[in-house]
Amino acid sequence: MSDPNIARLGNLQAKNVPFRCTNTDPLLLLSTTSAQTIKINSLYITNTNECSKHTAIRVYINDGLSTEDTSNYHLVKDIVVPLRTTLILIDRESVVYLRPNQYLWIVDALGDSIEGVINYDIMRE
């Protein structure tokens, strides 16, 4: 299916979802089906580490369920998130769209330090 025609939307569903990275493995934040497009409105990231450590994160999009896919392209790569700091990676001024069959991943280099909230709209014709 082609990308939904925004002028002819049959269904728009808004979501606000919290997440937590529990280790250093890539965490799947969002995925789309062949019948939808997702508009990411905001992505907030917080370093909640109990120690005095900073961590680095990567946020990327790809076209497959594999995290080591050659189709990866990074929105953020190895950006440091200082201890007890919140970063706004995506806001309404810098909207990101996931096309059908795309995936959004986050990686916490330290592990068990990053949590956040992602707000998005699922669009279907």
Side-chain angles (χ1 to χ4, degrees), residues 73-113:
Y73 60 95
H74 289 85
L75 298 173
V76 172
K77 187 170 184 177
D78 300 327
I79 189 169
V80 173
V81 183
L83 181 66
R84 296 183 198 97
T85 300
T86 299
L87 298 179
I88 302 170
L89 299 178
I90 299 171
D91 65 12
R92 290 203 180 268
E93 299 298 319
S94 60
V95 172
V96 174
Y97 288 90
L98 289 183
R99 294 186 325 263
N101 299 311
Q102 284 192 317
Y103 302 84
L104 178 70
W105 300 87
I106 185 169
V107 179
D108 174 5
L110 188 59
D112 202 25
S113 296

mmCIF file of all heavy atoms in Angstrom, residues 73-113:
data_model
loop_
_atom_site.group_PDB
_atom_site.id
_atom_site.type_symbol
_atom_site.label_atom_id
_atom_site.label_comp_id
_atom_site.label_asym_id
_atom_site.label_seq_id
_atom_site.Cartn_x
_atom_site.Cartn_y
_atom_site.Cartn_z
ATOM 1 N N TYR A 73 19.253 4.360 9.314
ATOM 2 C CA TYR A 73 19.716 5.747 9.255
ATOM 3 C C TYR A 73 19.404 6.390 10.594
ATOM 4 O O TYR A 73 18.348 6.212 11.166
ATOM 5 C CB TYR A 73 19.166 6.525 8.051
ATOM 6 C CG TYR A 73 17.681 6.668 7.945
ATOM 7 C CD1 TYR A 73 17.050 7.804 8.445
ATOM 8 C CD2 TYR A 73 16.908 5.703 7.314
ATOM 9 C CE1 TYR A 73 15.681 7.966 8.324
ATOM 10 C CE2 TYR A 73 15.534 5.858 7.187
ATOM 11 C CZ TYR A 73 14.931 6.992 7.694
ATOM 12 O OH TYR A 73 13.585 7.147 7.572
ATOM 13 N N HIS A 74 20.390 7.102 11.114
ATOM 14 C CA HIS A 74 20.337 7.623 12.476
ATOM 15 C C HIS A 74 19.686 8.996 12.544
ATOM 16 O O HIS A 74 19.984 9.876 11.736
ATOM 17 C CB HIS A 74 21.753 7.710 13.062
ATOM 18 C CG HIS A 74 22.339 6.373 13.358
ATOM 19 N ND1 HIS A 74 22.980 5.620 12.402
ATOM 20 C CD2 HIS A 74 22.360 5.645 14.494
ATOM 21 C CE1 HIS A 74 23.373 4.485 12.946
ATOM 22 N NE2 HIS A 74 23.018 4.473 14.205
ATOM 23 N N LEU A 75 18.820 9.151 13.537
ATOM 24 C CA LEU A 75 18.320 10.473 13.903
ATOM 25 C C LEU A 75 19.275 11.084 14.920
ATOM 26 O O LEU A 75 19.499 12.291 14.930
ATOM 27 C CB LEU A 75 16.926 10.372 14.508
ATOM 28 C CG LEU A 75 15.841 9.808 13.602
ATOM 29 C CD1 LEU A 75 14.556 9.601 14.383
ATOM 30 C CD2 LEU A 75 15.611 10.724 12.433
ATOM 31 N N VAL A 76 19.816 10.231 15.803
ATOM 32 C CA VAL A 76 20.784 10.620 16.835
ATOM 33 C C VAL A 76 21.806 9.502 16.916
ATOM 34 O O VAL A 76 21.443 8.333 16.960
ATOM 35 C CB VAL A 76 20.090 10.777 18.213
ATOM 36 C CG1 VAL A 76 21.083 10.993 19.315
ATOM 37 C CG2 VAL A 76 19.072 11.894 18.179
ATOM 38 N N LYS A 77 23.093 9.860 16.932
ATOM 39 C CA LYS A 77 24.127 8.832 17.035
ATOM 40 C C LYS A 77 25.156 9.262 18.069
ATOM 41 O O LYS A 77 25.825 10.276 17.913
ATOM 42 C CB LYS A 77 24.797 8.601 15.689
ATOM 43 C CG LYS A 77 25.749 7.426 15.715
ATOM 44 C CD LYS A 77 26.212 7.049 14.341
ATOM 45 C CE LYS A 77 27.077 5.810 14.431
ATOM 46 N NZ LYS A 77 27.494 5.362 13.117
ATOM 47 N N ASP A 78 25.242 8.463 19.137
ATOM 48 C CA ASP A 78 26.224 8.650 20.204
ATOM 49 C C ASP A 78 26.154 10.047 20.839
ATOM 50 O O ASP A 78 27.180 10.653 21.144
ATOM 51 C CB ASP A 78 27.642 8.361 19.700
ATOM 52 C CG ASP A 78 27.764 6.922 19.208
ATOM 53 O OD1 ASP A 78 27.087 6.046 19.780
ATOM 54 O OD2 ASP A 78 28.519 6.684 18.257
ATOM 55 N N ILE A 79 24.942 10.531 21.054
ATOM 56 C CA ILE A 79 24.769 11.800 21.754
ATOM 57 C C ILE A 79 24.751 11.511 23.253
ATOM 58 O O ILE A 79 24.131 10.566 23.714
ATOM 59 C CB ILE A 79 23.494 12.548 21.313
ATOM 60 C CG1 ILE A 79 23.467 13.954 21.899
ATOM 61 C CG2 ILE A 79 22.251 11.800 21.693
ATOM 62 C CD1 ILE A 79 22.393 14.845 21.320
ATOM 63 N N VAL A 80 25.475 12.316 24.016
ATOM 64 C CA VAL A 80 25.577 12.110 25.463
ATOM 65 C C VAL A 80 24.352 12.712 26.152
ATOM 66 O O VAL A 80 23.967 13.844 25.877
ATOM 67 C CB VAL A 80 26.873 12.741 26.019
ATOM 68 C CG1 VAL A 80 26.899 12.670 27.539
ATOM 69 C CG2 VAL A 80 28.088 12.040 25.434
ATOM 70 N N VAL A 81 23.774 11.901 27.054
ATOM 71 C CA VAL A 81 22.658 12.367 27.881
ATOM 72 C C VAL A 81 23.201 12.476 29.302
ATOM 73 O O VAL A 81 23.422 11.465 29.964
ATOM 74 C CB VAL A 81 21.461 11.396 27.833
ATOM 75 C CG1 VAL A 81 20.304 11.945 28.643
ATOM 76 C CG2 VAL A 81 21.040 11.126 26.399
ATOM 77 N N PRO A 82 23.466 13.689 29.770
ATOM 78 C CA PRO A 82 24.014 13.858 31.122
ATOM 79 C C PRO A 82 23.072 13.320 32.196
ATOM 80 O O PRO A 82 21.855 13.231 31.987
ATOM 81 C CB PRO A 82 24.184 15.375 31.261
ATOM 82 C CG PRO A 82 24.245 15.881 29.859
ATOM 83 C CD PRO A 82 23.345 14.966 29.073
ATOM 84 N N LEU A 83 23.636 12.990 33.329
ATOM 85 C CA LEU A 83 22.881 12.476 34.464
ATOM 86 C C LEU A 83 21.766 13.445 34.854
ATOM 87 O O LEU A 83 21.957 14.657 34.858
ATOM 88 C CB LEU A 83 23.838 12.279 35.646
ATOM 89 C CG LEU A 83 23.245 11.724 36.927
ATOM 90 C CD1 LEU A 83 22.765 10.303 36.708
ATOM 91 C CD2 LEU A 83 24.283 11.750 38.029
ATOM 92 N N ARG A 84 20.594 12.897 35.140
ATOM 93 C CA ARG A 84 19.416 13.662 35.574
ATOM 94 C C ARG A 84 19.060 14.800 34.615
ATOM 95 O O ARG A 84 18.761 15.913 35.031
ATOM 96 C CB ARG A 84 19.619 14.185 36.991
ATOM 97 C CG ARG A 84 19.743 13.077 38.006
ATOM 98 C CD ARG A 84 19.863 13.634 39.410
ATOM 99 N NE ARG A 84 20.390 12.623 40.292
ATOM 100 C CZ ARG A 84 21.675 12.507 40.636
ATOM 101 N NH1 ARG A 84 22.550 13.360 40.185
ATOM 102 N NH2 ARG A 84 22.065 11.552 41.446
ATOM 103 N N THR A 85 19.129 14.494 33.328
ATOM 104 C CA THR A 85 18.833 15.482 32.300
ATOM 105 C C THR A 85 17.772 14.930 31.360
ATOM 106 O O THR A 85 17.754 13.740 31.068
ATOM 107 C CB THR A 85 20.099 15.814 31.483
ATOM 108 O OG1 THR A 85 21.085 16.328 32.359
ATOM 109 C CG2 THR A 85 19.817 16.813 30.397
ATOM 110 N N THR A 86 16.905 15.808 30.896
ATOM 111 C CA THR A 86 15.913 15.435 29.889
ATOM 112 C C THR A 86 16.242 16.155 28.590
ATOM 113 O O THR A 86 16.501 17.362 28.591
ATOM 114 C CB THR A 86 14.493 15.824 30.353
ATOM 115 O OG1 THR A 86 14.197 15.117 31.556
ATOM 116 C CG2 THR A 86 13.463 15.486 29.294
ATOM 117 N N LEU A 87 16.253 15.401 27.494
ATOM 118 C CA LEU A 87 16.457 15.964 26.166
ATOM 119 C C LEU A 87 15.186 15.783 25.356
ATOM 120 O O LEU A 87 14.536 14.740 25.440
ATOM 121 C CB LEU A 87 17.601 15.257 25.446
ATOM 122 C CG LEU A 87 18.986 15.324 26.059
ATOM 123 C CD1 LEU A 87 19.964 14.536 25.192
ATOM 124 C CD2 LEU A 87 19.440 16.756 26.190
ATOM 125 N N ILE A 88 14.858 16.780 24.571
ATOM 126 C CA ILE A 88 13.750 16.681 23.635
ATOM 127 C C ILE A 88 14.380 16.442 22.269
ATOM 128 O O ILE A 88 14.974 17.343 21.690
ATOM 129 C CB ILE A 88 12.881 17.945 23.636
ATOM 130 C CG1 ILE A 88 12.338 18.215 25.031
ATOM 131 C CG2 ILE A 88 11.744 17.795 22.624
ATOM 132 C CD1 ILE A 88 11.674 19.566 25.183
ATOM 133 N N LEU A 89 14.281 15.207 21.776
ATOM 134 C CA LEU A 89 14.916 14.861 20.508
ATOM 135 C C LEU A 89 14.040 15.202 19.309
ATOM 136 O O LEU A 89 14.540 15.538 18.250
ATOM 137 C CB LEU A 89 15.275 13.378 20.478
ATOM 138 C CG LEU A 89 16.256 12.929 21.555
ATOM 139 C CD1 LEU A 89 16.494 11.435 21.451
ATOM 140 C CD2 LEU A 89 17.570 13.684 21.438
ATOM 141 N N ILE A 90 12.748 15.062 19.475
ATOM 142 C CA ILE A 90 11.790 15.398 18.422
ATOM 143 C C ILE A 90 10.690 16.227 19.065
ATOM 144 O O ILE A 90 10.214 15.894 20.149
ATOM 145 C CB ILE A 90 11.190 14.129 17.783
ATOM 146 C CG1 ILE A 90 12.278 13.266 17.144
ATOM 147 C CG2 ILE A 90 10.118 14.495 16.759
ATOM 148 C CD1 ILE A 90 11.790 11.905 16.687
ATOM 149 N N ASP A 91 10.305 17.316 18.404
ATOM 150 C CA ASP A 91 9.173 18.106 18.874
ATOM 151 C C ASP A 91 8.301 18.464 17.682
ATOM 152 O O ASP A 91 8.596 18.059 16.559
ATOM 153 C CB ASP A 91 9.618 19.343 19.656
ATOM 154 C CG ASP A 91 10.378 20.351 18.816
ATOM 155 O OD1 ASP A 91 10.390 20.229 17.569
ATOM 156 O OD2 ASP A 91 10.977 21.275 19.393
ATOM 157 N N ARG A 92 7.256 19.199 17.905
ATOM 158 C CA ARG A 92 6.313 19.528 16.821
ATOM 159 C C ARG A 92 6.944 20.349 15.694
ATOM 160 O O ARG A 92 6.404 20.414 14.602
ATOM 161 C CB ARG A 92 5.091 20.242 17.376
ATOM 162 C CG ARG A 92 4.235 19.308 18.191
ATOM 163 C CD ARG A 92 2.811 19.823 18.247
ATOM 164 N NE ARG A 92 1.981 18.931 19.016
ATOM 165 C CZ ARG A 92 1.286 17.935 18.481
ATOM 166 N NH1 ARG A 92 1.338 17.716 17.200
ATOM 167 N NH2 ARG A 92 0.549 17.166 19.247
ATOM 168 N N GLU A 93 8.073 20.961 15.960
ATOM 169 C CA GLU A 93 8.771 21.731 14.926
ATOM 170 C C GLU A 93 9.667 20.848 14.064
ATOM 171 O O GLU A 93 10.135 21.275 13.020
ATOM 172 C CB GLU A 93 9.611 22.846 15.568
ATOM 173 C CG GLU A 93 8.804 23.852 16.352
ATOM 174 C CD GLU A 93 7.809 24.602 15.487
ATOM 175 O OE1 GLU A 93 8.158 24.982 14.348
ATOM 176 O OE2 GLU A 93 6.665 24.792 15.941
ATOM 177 N N SER A 94 9.942 19.631 14.525
ATOM 178 C CA SER A 94 10.833 18.722 13.787
ATOM 179 C C SER A 94 10.204 17.336 13.695
ATOM 180 O O SER A 94 10.769 16.344 14.112
ATOM 181 C CB SER A 94 12.189 18.642 14.482
ATOM 182 O OG SER A 94 12.029 18.145 15.807
ATOM 183 N N VAL A 95 9.024 17.278 13.135
ATOM 184 C CA VAL A 95 8.249 16.044 13.039
ATOM 185 C C VAL A 95 8.979 15.020 12.172
ATOM 186 O O VAL A 95 9.608 15.365 11.184
ATOM 187 C CB VAL A 95 6.854 16.355 12.445
ATOM 188 C CG1 VAL A 95 6.090 15.085 12.151
ATOM 189 C CG2 VAL A 95 6.074 17.239 13.393
ATOM 190 N N VAL A 96 8.873 13.751 12.571
ATOM 191 C CA VAL A 96 9.446 12.640 11.815
ATOM 192 C C VAL A 96 8.313 11.685 11.461
ATOM 193 O O VAL A 96 7.457 11.398 12.303
ATOM 194 C CB VAL A 96 10.520 11.904 12.650
ATOM 195 C CG1 VAL A 96 11.017 10.670 11.942
ATOM 196 C CG2 VAL A 96 11.673 12.842 12.983
ATOM 197 N N TYR A 97 8.317 11.198 10.235
ATOM 198 C CA TYR A 97 7.318 10.225 9.793
ATOM 199 C C TYR A 97 7.974 8.864 9.616
ATOM 200 O O TYR A 97 9.084 8.769 9.105
ATOM 201 C CB TYR A 97 6.705 10.637 8.449
ATOM 202 C CG TYR A 97 5.772 11.806 8.536
ATOM 203 C CD1 TYR A 97 6.230 13.108 8.384
ATOM 204 C CD2 TYR A 97 4.416 11.609 8.777
ATOM 205 C CE1 TYR A 97 5.371 14.183 8.465
ATOM 206 C CE2 TYR A 97 3.544 12.685 8.857
ATOM 207 C CZ TYR A 97 4.031 13.967 8.703
ATOM 208 O OH TYR A 97 3.173 15.030 8.787
ATOM 209 N N LEU A 98 7.274 7.807 10.034
ATOM 210 C CA LEU A 98 7.658 6.441 9.709
ATOM 211 C C LEU A 98 6.744 5.977 8.591
ATOM 212 O O LEU A 98 5.524 5.975 8.746
ATOM 213 C CB LEU A 98 7.499 5.504 10.908
ATOM 214 C CG LEU A 98 8.461 5.655 12.066
ATOM 215 C CD1 LEU A 98 8.174 4.570 13.106
ATOM 216 C CD2 LEU A 98 9.896 5.582 11.621
ATOM 217 N N ARG A 99 7.340 5.611 7.474
ATOM 218 C CA ARG A 99 6.569 5.077 6.352
ATOM 219 C C ARG A 99 6.112 3.655 6.669
ATOM 220 O O ARG A 99 6.577 3.047 7.628
ATOM 221 C CB ARG A 99 7.446 5.067 5.095
ATOM 222 C CG ARG A 99 7.838 6.438 4.598
ATOM 223 C CD ARG A 99 8.589 6.344 3.265
ATOM 224 N NE ARG A 99 9.436 5.180 3.132
ATOM 225 C CZ ARG A 99 10.750 5.153 3.375
ATOM 226 N NH1 ARG A 99 11.372 6.230 3.784
ATOM 227 N NH2 ARG A 99 11.449 4.055 3.209
ATOM 228 N N PRO A 100 5.240 3.098 5.865
ATOM 229 C CA PRO A 100 4.831 1.714 6.084
ATOM 230 C C PRO A 100 6.032 0.771 6.151
ATOM 231 O O PRO A 100 6.996 0.918 5.386
ATOM 232 C CB PRO A 100 3.959 1.409 4.858
ATOM 233 C CG PRO A 100 3.374 2.740 4.498
ATOM 234 C CD PRO A 100 4.479 3.719 4.771
ATOM 235 N N ASN A 101 5.978 -0.157 7.081
ATOM 236 C CA ASN A 101 7.008 -1.182 7.305
ATOM 237 C C ASN A 101 8.359 -0.616 7.733
ATOM 238 O O ASN A 101 9.399 -1.165 7.393
ATOM 239 C CB ASN A 101 7.170 -2.067 6.068
ATOM 240 C CG ASN A 101 5.887 -2.787 5.739
ATOM 241 O OD1 ASN A 101 5.266 -3.387 6.605
ATOM 242 N ND2 ASN A 101 5.463 -2.686 4.494
ATOM 243 N N GLN A 102 8.357 0.458 8.497
ATOM 244 C CA GLN A 102 9.590 0.990 9.072
ATOM 245 C C GLN A 102 9.569 0.836 10.583
ATOM 246 O O GLN A 102 8.507 0.706 11.194
ATOM 247 C CB GLN A 102 9.798 2.463 8.713
ATOM 248 C CG GLN A 102 10.261 2.670 7.306
ATOM 249 C CD GLN A 102 10.737 4.092 7.077
ATOM 250 O OE1 GLN A 102 10.108 5.052 7.523
ATOM 251 N NE2 GLN A 102 11.824 4.224 6.360
ATOM 252 N N TYR A 103 10.763 0.876 11.189
ATOM 253 C CA TYR A 103 10.940 0.642 12.619
ATOM 254 C C TYR A 103 11.805 1.733 13.229
ATOM 255 O O TYR A 103 12.777 2.152 12.619
ATOM 256 C CB TYR A 103 11.602 -0.724 12.842
ATOM 257 C CG TYR A 103 10.816 -1.855 12.241
ATOM 258 C CD1 TYR A 103 10.953 -2.185 10.899
ATOM 259 C CD2 TYR A 103 9.907 -2.560 13.002
ATOM 260 C CE1 TYR A 103 10.215 -3.207 10.340
ATOM 261 C CE2 TYR A 103 9.162 -3.596 12.455
ATOM 262 C CZ TYR A 103 9.326 -3.907 11.124
ATOM 263 O OH TYR A 103 8.581 -4.916 10.571
ATOM 264 N N LEU A 104 11.456 2.169 14.443
ATOM 265 C CA LEU A 104 12.221 3.164 15.184
ATOM 266 C C LEU A 104 12.835 2.482 16.404
ATOM 267 O O LEU A 104 12.122 1.885 17.210
ATOM 268 C CB LEU A 104 11.328 4.322 15.633
ATOM 269 C CG LEU A 104 12.009 5.412 16.468
ATOM 270 C CD1 LEU A 104 12.978 6.211 15.595
ATOM 271 C CD2 LEU A 104 10.986 6.325 17.101
ATOM 272 N N TRP A 105 14.153 2.582 16.542
ATOM 273 C CA TRP A 105 14.910 1.920 17.608
ATOM 274 C C TRP A 105 15.647 2.939 18.455
ATOM 275 O O TRP A 105 16.025 4.004 17.975
ATOM 276 C CB TRP A 105 15.953 0.987 17.004
ATOM 277 C CG TRP A 105 15.415 -0.099 16.148
ATOM 278 C CD1 TRP A 105 15.149 -0.028 14.803
ATOM 279 C CD2 TRP A 105 15.073 -1.421 16.550
ATOM 280 N NE1 TRP A 105 14.665 -1.233 14.362
ATOM 281 C CE2 TRP A 105 14.612 -2.106 15.412
ATOM 282 C CE3 TRP A 105 15.121 -2.092 17.768
ATOM 283 C CZ2 TRP A 105 14.197 -3.429 15.452
ATOM 284 C CZ3 TRP A 105 14.715 -3.407 17.805
ATOM 285 C CH2 TRP A 105 14.251 -4.065 16.655
ATOM 286 N N ILE A 106 15.920 2.575 19.724
ATOM 287 C CA ILE A 106 16.787 3.365 20.594
ATOM 288 C C ILE A 106 17.759 2.408 21.276
ATOM 289 O O ILE A 106 17.398 1.270 21.598
ATOM 290 C CB ILE A 106 15.991 4.176 21.636
ATOM 291 C CG1 ILE A 106 16.924 5.086 22.435
ATOM 292 C CG2 ILE A 106 15.189 3.273 22.549
ATOM 293 C CD1 ILE A 106 16.216 6.110 23.293
ATOM 294 N N VAL A 107 18.990 2.875 21.476
ATOM 295 C CA VAL A 107 20.011 2.098 22.175
ATOM 296 C C VAL A 107 20.603 2.969 23.271
ATOM 297 O O VAL A 107 21.015 4.102 23.016
ATOM 298 C CB VAL A 107 21.138 1.642 21.216
ATOM 299 C CG1 VAL A 107 22.202 0.860 21.975
ATOM 300 C CG2 VAL A 107 20.579 0.816 20.073
ATOM 301 N N ASP A 108 20.646 2.437 24.486
ATOM 302 C CA ASP A 108 21.255 3.086 25.645
ATOM 303 C C ASP A 108 22.627 2.438 25.865
ATOM 304 O O ASP A 108 22.703 1.272 26.231
ATOM 305 C CB ASP A 108 20.347 2.885 26.862
ATOM 306 C CG ASP A 108 20.927 3.392 28.171
ATOM 307 O OD1 ASP A 108 22.003 4.000 28.163
ATOM 308 O OD2 ASP A 108 20.276 3.166 29.205
ATOM 309 N N ALA A 109 23.704 3.178 25.642
ATOM 310 C CA ALA A 109 25.053 2.612 25.726
ATOM 311 C C ALA A 109 25.405 2.100 27.117
ATOM 312 O O ALA A 109 26.123 1.115 27.265
ATOM 313 C CB ALA A 109 26.083 3.648 25.272
ATOM 314 N N LEU A 110 24.900 2.737 28.158
ATOM 315 C CA LEU A 110 25.191 2.329 29.529
ATOM 316 C C LEU A 110 24.267 1.206 29.986
ATOM 317 O O LEU A 110 24.671 0.318 30.719
ATOM 318 C CB LEU A 110 25.067 3.539 30.461
ATOM 319 C CG LEU A 110 25.500 3.371 31.899
ATOM 320 C CD1 LEU A 110 26.967 2.963 31.974
ATOM 321 C CD2 LEU A 110 25.281 4.674 32.658
ATOM 322 N N GLY A 111 23.053 1.242 29.546
ATOM 323 C CA GLY A 111 22.057 0.235 29.927
ATOM 324 C C GLY A 111 21.348 0.613 31.209
ATOM 325 O O GLY A 111 21.968 1.051 32.164
ATOM 326 N N ASP A 112 20.044 0.480 31.227
ATOM 327 C CA ASP A 112 19.208 0.745 32.393
ATOM 328 C C ASP A 112 19.315 2.185 32.900
ATOM 329 O O ASP A 112 19.214 2.434 34.097
ATOM 330 C CB ASP A 112 19.520 -0.247 33.514
ATOM 331 C CG ASP A 112 18.370 -0.384 34.495
ATOM 332 O OD1 ASP A 112 17.218 -0.129 34.105
ATOM 333 O OD2 ASP A 112 18.623 -0.725 35.664
ATOM 334 N N SER A 113 19.540 3.129 31.994
ATOM 335 C CA SER A 113 19.669 4.532 32.386
ATOM 336 C C SER A 113 18.633 5.433 31.731
ATOM 337 O O SER A 113 18.344 6.506 32.240
ATOM 338 C CB SER A 113 21.058 5.069 32.009
ATOM 339 O OG SER A 113 22.046 4.394 32.712
#
